[in-house]
Amino acid sequence: MSKFKIFDATLRDGGYYTDWDFDSKTVDAYIQAMNALPIDYLELGYRNNPTKEYMGKFGYCPVSVLKHIRKNCTKKLDVMLNEKSTRIEDLDTLIKPLVGIVDMVRIAIDPKNFDRAIILAKAVKAMGFELGFNCMYMSRWLTDYPDFLKKLDLLNGWADLFCMVDSFGGMTPQELTTIVKEVRANTTCPVGFHGHNNLQLGLINTLTAIDLGLDCVDVTILGMGRGAGNLNTELLLTYLNAHQGLEVDFNVLGDVITAFTPLLEKYKWGTNLPYMLSGANGIPQKEVMAWVTNRVYSFNSIVRALDNRKNNEADNAKYPVFGPYKKFGKVIVVGGGNSVEEHLDGIKAFIDDDTALVFSTARHAKLFSDITCQKYYALVGTESRRMACNVKHEGFKDAVILPPYPRTMGTEVPAFAEANTFELASVNFIKEYTDSSTTIAFETALEISIKNIYCIGYDGYPGSVLSEKEMSLTHENMSIFNAFSKAINKKLKSLTPSLYKELDVESIYMFI
């Protein structure tokens, strides 16, 4: 069997899903398993300067955590630095305390910053660490960075690893072979491969890298990693056991899979249609990951956004700007809470000829199909599909309101509503959440109101323990309500019960 090293990067790459938080039981089970499995290096996480975004312990890898792992781990350990956010003056704080604890430091680099990264890397190497590069965007090296490969001879004689990263997860074995030949022609430094699994080529590409004589390959338990994830540790070990006689304790391997399975069930990483498209078209998956995990965006909207980006289009559609428009004495913004259905008779009694309904979601649109007042539908993300299901197509005379052009996710409008679709010129009352359907609904309400704006169906979530998505939506709505109240110089009124303290709740029955 050829001699190559296996790096398991589960805690580092998998941290993109958990914000680098892993509970101690999972980590202990992981370390115990790695001790018994044919893995050479464990990449534990990042060493970072403080950031505004939350990152858990393996986003910072505190010395106390690393000492605990070092005490209990028999394998070599490495941590990663982000070159773009690390300077030489940071090394005394970030890296010097790790001497004697960590064996290797790998530096994530953009090829355009290679010269700068060399300076940083030599300073790290001088502290006594093995030094590795993780160089991104390998599928674009030959086309976008023609001078980069010629500089690889600068690594000769001192760097311990040059790891090629298939950032977009779309490389083919043939393309990998071509690039490996170019790399080998320009450096004597050991070479590795870190693949992503957008097109499910992680295994074949890694096996190709091994057949080409590369010095190391990266894997993660259950393929846990950013976006579509990586090659599964268990898959590579199983293959090598069957085809190259690598000794593997499958009971231990099964135990560590069991330890990480609850995380897989929670975060559901792995490839899907948007990740496949990002891989096939060489589009970074950082934003795709955010879109996929956001409940607001449908697969169609994600695919549309990727297609727009591929074609260098700001948006796939443009509509007339909303206005001039009729003004109303009463405007009601309709949310998706159950209180709308519970108090439907009272709400209908409150509506008169001087009332407009603005739906932030079309969830309850059918309930008002018999009401002849003017209706507006804020259309963001999955709302196009919901509107198509809940709004009568024939003779549609109401209005669809879109966010301002261009829209991040592109534009999808039901065919029956095309002629009555408009886009806002701007969103003025808030700077955040400009792609929220609630934001678009309240901006529309401001545009068409003469006097009174109310809301219904913003019930809030009961209970003291909320899911991550419930917490995120709650925070979003709170911010929107506060900004809107400031814009109208008074607290926004809800005519149905609500748990939001940012709303002034008044009974619909007071007014009928």
Side-chain angles (χ1 to χ4, degrees):
M1 185 173 69
S2 57
K3 295 181 180 179
F4 58 91
K5 305 294 186 184
I6 300 177
F7 280 64
D8 189 287
T10 304
L11 300 184
R12 198 273 302 173
D13 216 342
Y16 283 99
Y17 276 97
T18 67
D19 291 329
W20 294 275
D21 270 331
F22 294 89
D23 66 73
S24 58
K25 288 184 178 180
T26 301
V27 174
D28 288 345
Y30 170 75
I31 298 300
Q32 184 178 354
M34 293 299 107
N35 285 342
L37 291 170
I39 301 296
D40 299 283
Y41 286 79
L42 308 186
E43 189 158 83
L44 300 178
Y46 288 99
R47 286 286 282 178
N48 273 310
N49 291 309
T51 65
K52 292 181 180 180
E53 296 179 355
Y54 175 80
M55 289 189 293
K57 68 174 68 172
F58 293 99
Y60 291 102
C61 288
V63 173
S64 60
V65 172
L66 296 179
K67 283 183 175 179
H68 171 77
I69 293 176
R70 176 73 287 165
K71 181 180 178 181
N72 294 285
C73 184
T74 61
K75 302 302 175 73
K76 286 194 170 186
L77 304 178
D78 85 85
V79 295
M80 182 168 282
L81 292 177
N82 270 318
E83 188 278 333
K84 66 180 180 181
S85 59
T86 308
R87 297 295 173 261
I88 288 181
E89 54 266 29
D90 300 324
L91 296 182
D92 281 346
T93 300
L94 294 180
I95 298 302
K96 192 173 182 180
L98 307 188
V99 173
I101 305 172
V102 165
D103 301 280
M104 176 180 278
V105 175
R106 291 212 284 187
I107 302 177
I109 68 167
D110 186 319
K112 69 182 181 183
N113 297 327
F114 184 71
D115 293 334
R116 192 173 70 189
I118 290 279
I119 298 170
L120 180 68
K122 286 187 173 181
V124 172
K125 179 72 175 177
M127 292 180 172
F129 297 96
E130 296 177 48
L131 191 284
F133 290 86
N134 266 38
C135 193
M136 300 179 284
Y137 314 133
M138 66 177 293
S139 59
R140 293 182 178 176
W141 289 354
L142 297 178
T143 55
D144 295 357
Y145 306 95
D147 298 327
F148 160 66
L149 292 171
K150 296 182 176 64
K151 296 179 180 180
L152 294 183
D153 63 346
L154 296 174
L155 305 179
N156 294 347
W158 66 275
D160 298 287
L161 177 64
F162 176 76
C163 191
M164 309 179 301
V165 182
D166 180 15
S167 299
F168 310 126
M171 295 281 296
T172 65
Q174 293 78 12
E175 291 167 333
L176 175 63
T177 300
T178 298
I179 290 179
V180 168
K181 289 180 179 178
E182 288 288 329
V183 170
R184 287 294 200 196
N186 286 284
T187 184
T188 59
C189 175
V191 178
F193 175 69
H194 177 101
H196 289 152
N197 220 17
N198 296 59
L199 296 181
Q200 294 190 333
L201 294 171
L203 177 62
I204 188 60
N205 281 338
T206 298
L207 295 179
T208 300
I210 292 170
D211 288 343
L212 291 170
L214 264 61
D215 301 281
C216 83
V217 294
D218 286 11
V219 292
T220 61
I221 298 297
L222 290 170
M224 186 180 191
R226 189 177 200 170
N230 309 90
L231 170 61
N232 295 39
T233 304
E234 64 274 12
L235 179 57
L236 180 63
L237 295 185
T238 299
Y239 180 90
L240 294 176
N241 170 265
H243 293 274
Q244 296 191 15
L246 183 69
E247 290 189 16
V248 178
D249 188 327
F250 286 97
N251 287 334
V252 171
L253 191 57
D255 288 343
V256 72
I257 290 171
T258 298
F260 279 85
T261 296
L263 293 176
L264 175 60
E265 292 172 347
K266 179 178 181 180
Y267 294 104
K268 295 179 173 56
W269 63 80
T271 198
N272 55 33
L273 185 58
Y275 286 136
M276 293 173 193
L277 288 163
S278 69
N281 295 292
I283 298 170
Q285 52 187 5
K286 178 181 179 181
E287 287 181 82
V288 181
M289 183 175 174
W291 297 340
V292 168
T293 54
N294 189 318
R295 62 172 183 78
V296 170
Y297 301 133
S298 66
F299 272 10
N300 274 350
S301 61
I302 295 169
V303 170
R304 198 165 43 252
L306 291 171
D307 197 47
N308 289 343
R309 182 164 296 189
K310 176 185 175 184
N311 297 325
N312 294 316
E313 293 180 349
D315 199 338
N316 58 286
K318 191 151 190 353
Y319 289 86
V321 173
F322 184 45
Y325 27 73
K326 182 180 177 182
K327 297 278 190 173
F328 299 88
K330 294 189 295 190
V331 177
I332 306 173
V333 176
V334 185
N338 293 332
S339 62
V340 174
E341 190 168 3
E342 293 168 4
H343 301 281
L344 183 61
D345 290 341
I347 295 167
K348 287 184 175 181
F350 179 70
I351 295 171
D352 57 28
D353 292 338
D354 196 24
T355 302
L357 297 179
V358 183
F359 292 89
S360 69
T361 171
R363 180 187 174 196
H364 295 309
K366 277 185 181 179
L367 300 178
F368 297 92
S369 59
D370 59 333
I371 300 294
T372 57
C373 72
Q374 181 65 47
K375 299 164 191 168
Y376 300 85
Y377 298 89
L379 209 60
V380 176
T382 56
E383 282 305 312
S384 178
R385 296 175 65 188
R386 186 176 284 122
M387 183 180 171
C389 293
N390 293 331
V391 175
K392 186 178 179 181
H393 296 200
E394 186 179 355
F396 181 79
K397 295 181 180 179
D398 296 315
V400 170
I401 309 298
L402 301 172
Y405 180 92
R407 291 160 282 279
T408 302
M409 305 306 294
T411 305
E412 180 180 11
V413 175
F416 71 88
E418 285 276 356
N420 296 70
T421 297
F422 307 89
E423 59 189 43
L424 294 172
S426 60
V427 173
N428 298 309
F429 79 92
I430 191 172
K431 294 181 179 179
E432 300 176 290
Y433 307 115
T434 54
D435 62 347
S436 162
S437 60
T438 293
T439 296
I440 302 310
F442 278 108
E443 184 70 33
T444 302
L446 281 173
E447 298 278 3
I448 62 175
S449 170
I450 296 174
K451 185 177 181 182
N452 293 312
I453 299 175
Y454 307 97
C455 68
I456 57 176
Y458 284 95
D459 301 358
Y461 296 101
S464 58
V465 179
L466 303 183
S467 70
E468 189 173 342
K469 288 183 177 180
E470 289 170 344
M471 288 177 62
S472 177
L473 183 58
T474 296
H475 177 75
E476 177 181 309
N477 285 343
M478 288 167 58
S479 299
I480 293 171
F481 297 152
N482 280 330
F484 190 80
S485 294
K486 182 179 283 189
I488 63 175
N489 293 315
K490 59 182 178 180
K491 208 168 182 180
L492 177 62
K493 291 183 179 181
S494 173
L495 300 182
T496 55
S498 175
L499 296 174
Y500 287 104
K501 297 187 182 303
E502 293 74 21
L503 300 177
D504 186 5
V505 179
E506 293 187 354
S507 172
I508 187 76
Y509 303 103
M510 292 171 53
F511 303 96
I512 58 177

